[in-house]
Amino acid sequence: MGMTMAEKIIARAANKREVKPGEFVWANVDTAMMDDLLGPRVVIAEHIKRLGNQIWDKEKVVIISDHYSPAANITQAEILQFTRNWAKEYGISKYYEGLGPCHQVLAEKGFDIPGTLMVGTDSHTTTAGAFGCFGTGIGSTEMLGVLVSGQIWLRVPETMLFVWHGKLQKGVYAKDIILRTIKEIGQAGATYKVMEFAGSCIENLSVDERMAITNMAVEAGAKTGLMAPDNKVFAYLESIGAPKGTPMYSDPDAEYAQKFEFNADTLVPQIALPHEVDKVVDITEAEGEVIHQAYLGSCTNGRYPDLVEAAKILKGRKVHPDVRLLVSPASRSIYHRAVREGIIEILSDAGAMILAPSCGACLGLHSGILARGERAISSTNRNFVGRMGHKEAEIFLASPASVAAAAIEGKITDPRKYL
Ligand SMILES: CC(C)[C@H](C(=O)O)[C@@H](O)C(=O)O
Ligand code: SF4
């Protein structure tokens, strides 16, 4: 019986010829990422001193301050200060701040390497799977163990296969694929499993678009989301001077826990209704719902193609007077490109407020907090109660195009009418 790509990546990390789902292994970590919110300040700084005060390999540790940056109050400023100083004290040269959400920075800085094992103190570390990198979120205590040993104790997960055939219609995007997939299995449907995505529809997506899908694998409970690295991935890595790594691919006779097939030809824009990510319906079922805020950003859908799609709809049009449209490019380099290519001007002319590249509004930490009774449509990945502000605010999750269309009309709108 063959192995899945997840099993092969773990076998390599465990220096074993093969592994089987259910087996426990000690796996060598290739990249350990900490963000500011669950990084050194939580557990690690205090206890690493008691564990020899040594990091196993400083070159494999990345610290990215993104949730609190730029600081919105003194507490956040002190967390950033602590994280910055800790990185300096422990000689972590790969420290980034103010460049945007960690998962976009990891990709742009070349840490998402095919065939490698990445752990991060953020649940959306699964994003790296778009590069064929096994990325998974871990807690600060587990991270402490990784920092001193370079290893993590892993139970080899089973893999679920999601094959997307066909071609996305105009106005339908990668975000609609992952929302539809999560609708199929529910928010716990992939708990402790790997979601492997394949099929011509996935292969036709750009790497940027694929990242929106693997980013949200954790919203179905998945350990990680994975896609076979192909020439698009290798071209991306080459363009940033990153190594090709050790690309792994599932064997034709690999064993999957479950297999699902979908046809993208018939997929229509999807939307997740408050307050659960798996409460997904066709957008036509939610049309007309009033919204007060539209948010375009985050490690899910704040990338350059996302801004371009929104700009296509907003060009020459105005945001509804009762709506605030907030735009936060997912990284500084995306922001710079969007400025150079006139995208920011189009969005701003339409009435958008352009925010810093940051986690910020995505989880209600700063900028764009919702008041009681307000409703937002957002290109992000979570819509739990209180996620973006008041616990009596509501959040709809959708594609950047759906966010733009709703911003114009002041209500949930099928974006296809504008395309
Ligand atoms: C703050 C962090 C722990 C959390 C995560 O792990 O996903 C955050 O990034 C989120 O999106 O909810
Ligand atoms: S989901 Fe939101 S808060 Fe979490 S890492 Fe991504 S941008 Fe930041």
Side-chain angles (χ1 to χ4, degrees):
M1 181 60 67
M3 283 200 284
T4 66
M5 60 188 293
E7 290 153 21
K8 289 184 178 179
I9 295 171
I10 294 173
R12 174 188 166 276
N15 291 323
K16 298 182 75 153
R17 272 175 44 75
E18 68 166 5
V19 296
K20 287 257 171 279
E23 186 182 340
F24 284 90
V25 297
W26 280 101
N28 296 308
V29 168
D30 295 293
T31 304
M33 186 281 295
M34 289 181 275
D35 61 84
D36 49 358
L37 197 149
L38 282 183
R41 72 185 185 111
V42 180
V43 167
I44 292 159
E46 184 194 344
H47 292 287
I48 197 165
K49 292 188 174 71
R50 297 172 27 193
L51 296 172
N53 211 23
Q54 292 295 321
I55 289 178
W56 103 98
D57 183 339
K58 296 180 179 182
E59 287 313 300
K60 293 186 175 176
V61 176
V62 191
I63 300 179
I64 303 172
S65 286
D66 56 349
H67 288 77
Y68 295 120
S69 161
N73 55 47
I74 293 169
T75 307
Q76 293 184 9
E78 288 172 346
I79 291 170
L80 291 172
Q81 185 179 49
F82 179 89
T83 307
R84 209 177 292 135
N85 294 343
W86 192 90
K88 212 171 281 168
E89 182 188 345
Y90 280 82
I92 304 300
S93 60
K94 298 179 174 80
Y95 174 78
Y96 305 101
E97 180 176 341
L99 296 186
C102 51
H103 307 301
Q104 181 60 23
V105 175
L106 284 166
E108 291 182 8
K109 296 293 182 188
F111 293 103
D112 295 0
I113 300 300
T116 62
L117 174 60
M118 174 192 282
V119 293
T121 55
D122 189 281
S123 68
H124 297 102
T125 305
T126 58
T127 308
F131 292 80
C133 166
F134 190 113
T136 193
I138 63 172
S140 307
T141 311
E142 278 186 293
M143 181 56 82
L144 175 62
V146 169
L147 291 178
V148 296
S149 72
Q151 293 195 316
I152 188 161
W153 194 51
L154 266 185
R155 174 179 167 279
V156 179
E158 294 175 295
T159 298
M160 301 165 80
L161 181 61
F162 300 87
V163 185
W164 274 88
H165 303 287
K167 196 172 174 318
L168 290 174
Q169 301 307 300
K170 196 185 275 282
V172 187
Y173 305 88
K175 181 59 157 286
D176 300 302
I177 287 178
I178 189 63
L179 286 175
R180 177 65 189 82
T181 304
I182 292 171
K183 174 182 183 177
E184 188 71 22
I185 62 173
Q187 57 185 277
T191 301
Y192 210 92
K193 291 192 178 75
V194 170
M195 294 174 78
E196 182 179 326
F197 300 90
S200 59
C201 180
I202 302 293
E203 290 159 15
N204 286 332
L205 296 175
S206 67
V207 177
D208 281 345
E209 292 167 301
R210 293 176 193 177
M211 291 167 77
I213 293 172
T214 51
N215 173 273
M216 287 189 71
V218 68
E219 306 311 329
K223 189 78 181 167
T224 194
L226 281 174
M227 295 171 178
D230 59 7
N231 287 334
K232 289 181 182 176
V233 167
F234 303 143
Y236 186 115
L237 294 168
E238 191 177 350
S239 73
I240 57 173
K244 200 172 166 184
T246 320
M248 306 269 190
Y249 303 91
S250 293
D251 294 325
D253 61 344
E255 193 172 352
Y256 291 98
Q258 282 174 286
K259 282 185 186 176
F260 297 84
E261 307 222 27
F262 297 91
N263 178 0
D265 293 344
T266 55
L267 184 65
V268 298
Q270 302 290 287
I271 191 160
L273 307 176
H275 299 283
E276 303 294 342
V277 181
D278 60 1
K279 231 172 132 183
V280 177
V281 299
D282 293 353
I283 201 162
T284 43
E285 291 182 41
E287 276 203 292
E289 294 286 354
V290 169
I291 59 114
H292 307 96
Q293 182 161 298
Y295 181 62
L296 176 58
S298 84
C299 62
T300 313
N301 276 120
R303 290 179 189 88
Y304 189 69
D306 300 318
L307 303 184
V308 168
E309 283 309 303
K312 270 185 201 165
I313 291 176
L314 285 156
K315 187 169 183 159
R317 295 189 171 99
K318 289 293 178 198
V319 171
H320 189 283
D322 298 341
V323 171
R324 288 106 51 192
L325 170 60
L326 310 181
V327 176
S328 172
S331 75
R332 187 181 294 173
S333 63
I334 292 168
Y335 177 66
H336 286 174
R337 182 179 175 194
V339 168
R340 278 198 313 274
E341 305 201 8
I343 299 299
I344 294 294
E345 188 176 0
I346 292 169
L347 296 172
S348 184
D349 283 351
M353 276 183 264
I354 310 298
L355 306 177
S358 164
C359 291
C362 176
L363 77 169
L365 272 182
H366 49 75
S367 47
I369 307 286
L370 295 173
R372 178 201 295 260
E374 290 198 315
R375 311 176 100 194
I377 183 167
S378 180
S379 71
T380 52
N381 53 32
R382 282 178 176 161
N383 60 352
F384 306 140
V385 171
R387 173 73 178 178
M388 290 179 135
H390 200 283
K391 63 183 187 319
E392 290 175 33
E394 292 181 295
I395 304 158
F396 295 81
L397 302 177
S399 74
S402 299
V403 168
I408 294 168
E409 307 237 351
K411 55 185 190 278
I412 307 286
T413 303
D414 188 328
R416 292 175 292 181
K417 70 183 278 189
Y418 282 106
L419 291 165

Short mmCIF file of all heavy atoms in Angstrom, two decimals, residues 37 66-68 122 295 298 358-369 378 380-382 386-389 395:
data_model
loop_
_atom_site.label_atom_id
_atom_site.label_comp_id
_atom_site.label_asym_id
_atom_site.label_seq_id
_atom_site.Cartn_x
_atom_site.Cartn_y
_atom_site.Cartn_z
N LEU A 37 1.24 37.01 19.45
CA LEU A 37 0.16 36.74 20.42
C LEU A 37 0.43 35.49 21.25
O LEU A 37 0.29 35.50 22.48
CB LEU A 37 -1.18 36.62 19.68
CG LEU A 37 -2.42 36.76 20.55
CD1 LEU A 37 -3.57 37.37 19.75
CD2 LEU A 37 -2.85 35.47 21.16
N ASP A 66 2.53 40.21 14.25
CA ASP A 66 1.50 40.55 13.26
C ASP A 66 0.12 40.82 13.88
O ASP A 66 -0.67 41.58 13.35
CB ASP A 66 1.36 39.43 12.23
CG ASP A 66 1.06 38.06 12.89
OD1 ASP A 66 1.16 37.97 14.13
OD2 ASP A 66 0.71 37.12 12.17
N HIS A 67 -0.19 40.19 14.99
CA HIS A 67 -1.54 40.36 15.56
C HIS A 67 -1.69 41.73 16.22
O HIS A 67 -2.71 42.39 16.09
CB HIS A 67 -1.83 39.25 16.58
CG HIS A 67 -2.04 37.92 15.95
ND1 HIS A 67 -1.02 37.14 15.48
CD2 HIS A 67 -3.19 37.24 15.68
CE1 HIS A 67 -1.51 36.03 14.95
NE2 HIS A 67 -2.81 36.06 15.06
N TYR A 68 -0.65 42.17 16.92
CA TYR A 68 -0.72 43.44 17.65
C TYR A 68 -0.04 44.59 16.91
O TYR A 68 -0.03 45.73 17.36
CB TYR A 68 -0.03 43.29 19.02
CG TYR A 68 -0.73 42.32 19.93
CD1 TYR A 68 -0.07 41.19 20.40
CD2 TYR A 68 -2.06 42.51 20.30
CE1 TYR A 68 -0.71 40.28 21.24
CE2 TYR A 68 -2.70 41.62 21.15
CZ TYR A 68 -2.02 40.51 21.60
OH TYR A 68 -2.66 39.61 22.43
N ASP A 122 0.20 29.46 15.53
CA ASP A 122 -1.03 30.02 14.97
C ASP A 122 -1.74 28.91 14.19
O ASP A 122 -1.11 28.21 13.39
CB ASP A 122 -0.72 31.22 14.05
CG ASP A 122 -2.01 31.93 13.66
OD1 ASP A 122 -2.71 31.41 12.75
OD2 ASP A 122 -2.35 32.95 14.26
N TYR A 295 -14.99 44.01 5.01
CA TYR A 295 -13.57 43.92 5.30
C TYR A 295 -12.88 43.05 4.26
O TYR A 295 -13.26 41.90 4.02
CB TYR A 295 -13.32 43.34 6.70
CG TYR A 295 -11.85 43.25 7.04
CD1 TYR A 295 -11.06 44.39 7.11
CD2 TYR A 295 -11.24 42.01 7.26
CE1 TYR A 295 -9.71 44.32 7.40
CE2 TYR A 295 -9.89 41.92 7.55
CZ TYR A 295 -9.12 43.08 7.62
OH TYR A 295 -7.78 43.01 7.90
N SER A 298 -6.54 39.97 5.51
CA SER A 298 -6.19 38.76 6.25
C SER A 298 -5.36 37.76 5.46
O SER A 298 -5.22 37.87 4.22
CB SER A 298 -7.43 38.03 6.78
OG SER A 298 -7.97 37.17 5.77
N SER A 358 -1.85 43.83 8.44
CA SER A 358 -1.86 43.40 9.85
C SER A 358 -2.99 42.41 10.06
O SER A 358 -3.89 42.31 9.24
CB SER A 358 -2.09 44.63 10.74
OG SER A 358 -2.47 44.24 12.05
N CYS A 359 -2.94 41.70 11.20
CA CYS A 359 -4.07 40.84 11.55
C CYS A 359 -5.26 41.69 11.96
O CYS A 359 -6.39 41.43 11.59
CB CYS A 359 -3.68 39.91 12.70
SG CYS A 359 -2.48 38.67 12.25
N GLY A 360 -4.95 42.72 12.72
CA GLY A 360 -5.89 43.73 13.19
C GLY A 360 -7.37 43.42 13.20
O GLY A 360 -7.90 42.79 14.08
N ALA A 361 -8.01 43.89 12.12
CA ALA A 361 -9.48 43.84 12.09
C ALA A 361 -9.99 42.39 12.06
O ALA A 361 -11.10 42.10 12.48
CB ALA A 361 -9.98 44.59 10.87
N CYS A 362 -9.17 41.48 11.55
CA CYS A 362 -9.62 40.09 11.37
C CYS A 362 -10.09 39.48 12.68
O CYS A 362 -11.06 38.72 12.70
CB CYS A 362 -8.44 39.28 10.82
SG CYS A 362 -8.77 37.53 10.66
N LEU A 363 -9.42 39.83 13.77
CA LEU A 363 -9.84 39.22 15.05
C LEU A 363 -10.14 40.30 16.08
O LEU A 363 -10.01 40.10 17.30
CB LEU A 363 -8.81 38.23 15.57
CG LEU A 363 -7.54 38.73 16.24
CD1 LEU A 363 -6.80 37.61 16.91
CD2 LEU A 363 -6.67 39.56 15.37
N GLY A 364 -10.55 41.47 15.57
CA GLY A 364 -11.07 42.51 16.47
C GLY A 364 -10.06 43.03 17.45
O GLY A 364 -10.41 43.46 18.56
N LEU A 365 -8.78 43.02 17.05
CA LEU A 365 -7.76 43.52 17.98
C LEU A 365 -7.57 45.02 17.87
O LEU A 365 -7.23 45.69 18.82
CB LEU A 365 -6.42 42.82 17.73
CG LEU A 365 -6.21 41.52 18.49
CD1 LEU A 365 -4.85 40.96 18.18
CD2 LEU A 365 -6.38 41.71 19.99
N HIS A 366 -7.67 45.53 16.68
CA HIS A 366 -7.64 46.98 16.49
C HIS A 366 -8.17 47.28 15.10
O HIS A 366 -8.37 46.39 14.31
CB HIS A 366 -6.24 47.56 16.67
CG HIS A 366 -5.14 46.89 15.93
ND1 HIS A 366 -4.95 47.03 14.57
CD2 HIS A 366 -4.16 46.07 16.37
CE1 HIS A 366 -3.88 46.34 14.23
NE2 HIS A 366 -3.40 45.74 15.29
N SER A 367 -8.47 48.52 14.85
CA SER A 367 -9.03 48.99 13.56
C SER A 367 -10.18 48.13 13.08
O SER A 367 -10.06 46.95 12.83
CB SER A 367 -7.96 49.01 12.46
OG SER A 367 -7.20 47.82 12.43
N GLY A 368 -11.37 48.80 13.00
CA GLY A 368 -12.51 48.12 12.38
C GLY A 368 -13.34 47.31 13.35
O GLY A 368 -14.02 46.37 12.96
N ILE A 369 -13.31 47.70 14.63
CA ILE A 369 -14.10 46.97 15.62
C ILE A 369 -15.60 47.20 15.35
O ILE A 369 -16.01 48.32 15.02
CB ILE A 369 -13.77 47.49 17.04
CG1 ILE A 369 -12.26 47.45 17.29
CG2 ILE A 369 -14.53 46.71 18.10
CD1 ILE A 369 -11.67 46.08 17.53
N SER A 378 -16.95 39.73 5.36
CA SER A 378 -15.50 39.74 5.53
C SER A 378 -14.83 38.65 4.69
O SER A 378 -15.38 37.55 4.54
CB SER A 378 -15.16 39.53 7.01
OG SER A 378 -13.77 39.54 7.21
N THR A 380 -12.29 37.12 5.54
CA THR A 380 -11.44 36.37 6.49
C THR A 380 -11.95 34.94 6.67
O THR A 380 -12.72 34.45 5.85
CB THR A 380 -11.45 37.12 7.84
OG1 THR A 380 -12.82 37.33 8.22
CG2 THR A 380 -10.76 38.47 7.72
N ASN A 381 -11.53 34.29 7.75
CA ASN A 381 -11.80 32.85 7.88
C ASN A 381 -12.61 32.46 9.11
O ASN A 381 -12.88 31.27 9.31
CB ASN A 381 -10.49 32.07 7.90
CG ASN A 381 -9.52 32.61 8.96
OD1 ASN A 381 -9.95 33.09 10.01
ND2 ASN A 381 -8.23 32.56 8.67
N ARG A 382 -12.97 33.45 9.96
CA ARG A 382 -13.72 33.09 11.17
C ARG A 382 -14.82 34.10 11.43
O ARG A 382 -14.62 35.31 11.22
CB ARG A 382 -12.79 33.00 12.39
CG ARG A 382 -12.00 31.71 12.39
CD ARG A 382 -11.01 31.54 13.53
NE ARG A 382 -10.43 30.20 13.42
CZ ARG A 382 -9.29 29.86 14.02
NH1 ARG A 382 -8.62 30.73 14.79
NH2 ARG A 382 -8.81 28.65 13.86
N GLY A 386 -18.28 37.61 18.62
CA GLY A 386 -17.27 38.50 19.21
C GLY A 386 -15.98 38.57 18.43
O GLY A 386 -15.04 39.27 18.80
N ARG A 387 -15.87 37.90 17.33
CA ARG A 387 -14.62 37.80 16.56
C ARG A 387 -14.08 39.17 16.14
O ARG A 387 -12.88 39.42 16.16
CB ARG A 387 -14.86 36.93 15.32
CG ARG A 387 -13.72 36.88 14.35
CD ARG A 387 -12.59 36.04 14.87
NE ARG A 387 -11.49 35.97 13.89
CZ ARG A 387 -10.36 35.33 14.10
NH1 ARG A 387 -10.15 34.69 15.23
NH2 ARG A 387 -9.40 35.30 13.19
N MET A 388 -15.01 40.05 15.74
CA MET A 388 -14.53 41.34 15.22
C MET A 388 -15.01 42.51 16.08
O MET A 388 -15.05 43.65 15.64
CB MET A 388 -14.99 41.55 13.77
CG MET A 388 -14.30 40.62 12.77
SD MET A 388 -14.92 40.90 11.09
CE MET A 388 -13.37 40.93 10.19
N GLY A 389 -15.44 42.22 17.30
CA GLY A 389 -15.94 43.32 18.14
C GLY A 389 -17.07 42.85 19.05
O GLY A 389 -16.97 41.77 19.67
N ILE A 395 -21.05 38.41 11.52
CA ILE A 395 -20.06 38.40 10.45
C ILE A 395 -20.42 37.33 9.42
O ILE A 395 -20.69 36.17 9.77
CB ILE A 395 -18.65 38.10 10.99
CG1 ILE A 395 -18.26 39.10 12.08
CG2 ILE A 395 -17.59 38.12 9.87
CD1 ILE A 395 -17.18 38.59 13.01
#
